[in-house]
Amino acid sequence: MKFVLSYSGGKDSILALHKMLEAGHEPVGLLVMVNRELQRSWFHGVDPELLREISDSLGIPLILCQSAGNDYDEKMEEGLERAKERGAEACAFGDIDIEGHLLWCRKRCEAAGLECVHPLWQRDREENTDEILSLGYRCLIKCVDNRVLPKEYLGKPLSRELVAEMKNRGIDICGENGEYHTLVVDGPVFRRPVSCVCREILDFGMTSAVNICAG
């Protein structure tokens, strides 16, 4: 089956891609929602240059969807239509168990006439995190919720030690509720490591992010 991946850059979307490839499915694109004002991906804040480097390393073309926020649903559906023109029969998502996310994804896919696939749905949080580390993916911590995690985590690769610390803090170790976001830059589905550098820390009130650039 040909599919497009709803791609955030983080560990869950990469693990979803890993599962789809492992099952023999063929990717036709990485669908990325872009904040029109900031010119970075929504939520993870990845700039276009680094997205292109990641796309090249994965060997999967980008489908960039510019959105101001209030038209997010509409622009997502337009992106899915573009993927369908490339032969996509389905869209794969990295969501785990938030029912509202599942329903939203299904609605977007129904509008575009695509099957909605969630390879990680209802999987155990620790199992997901352990698998992404066991497979050898390099997941840099891109954003943190300042209320639950320190800025010192930013730019660090996710490790079992950090996961244990998160568990001791009582937070969701998958970051499914926005406690933290990652950017995956190397691992089995990459043809080569993505060259990047961690630069300044950006503060956005309740959240902070490290500016990770191609380099």
Side-chain angles (χ1 to χ4, degrees), residues 11-12 17 23 26 30 35 38 45 55 67 77 82 86 95 100 135 146 155 165 200:
K11 59 181 176 49
D12 297 324
L17 174 63
E26 179 185 346
L30 303 171
N35 185 311
L38 300 178
S55 167
S67 168
E77 289 171 13
R82 285 158 57 194
R86 296 185 185 186
D95 298 287
L135 287 167
N146 295 324
E165 285 183 27
E200 72 275 17

Side-chain angles (χ1 to χ4, degrees), residues 6 72-73 76-77 80 90-96 98-118 121 176:
S6 178
Y72 196 96
D73 295 5
M76 173 75 172
E77 289 171 13
L80 291 174
C91 181
F93 299 86
D95 298 287
I96 301 170
I98 297 179
E99 192 70 25
H101 291 182
L102 177 70
L103 296 175
W104 184 88
C105 296
R106 282 179 176 170
K107 193 169 183 179
R108 305 286 78 77
C109 287
E110 285 171 5
L114 294 177
E115 184 180 344
C116 185
V117 181
H118 284 78
W121 191 250
E176 187 74 348

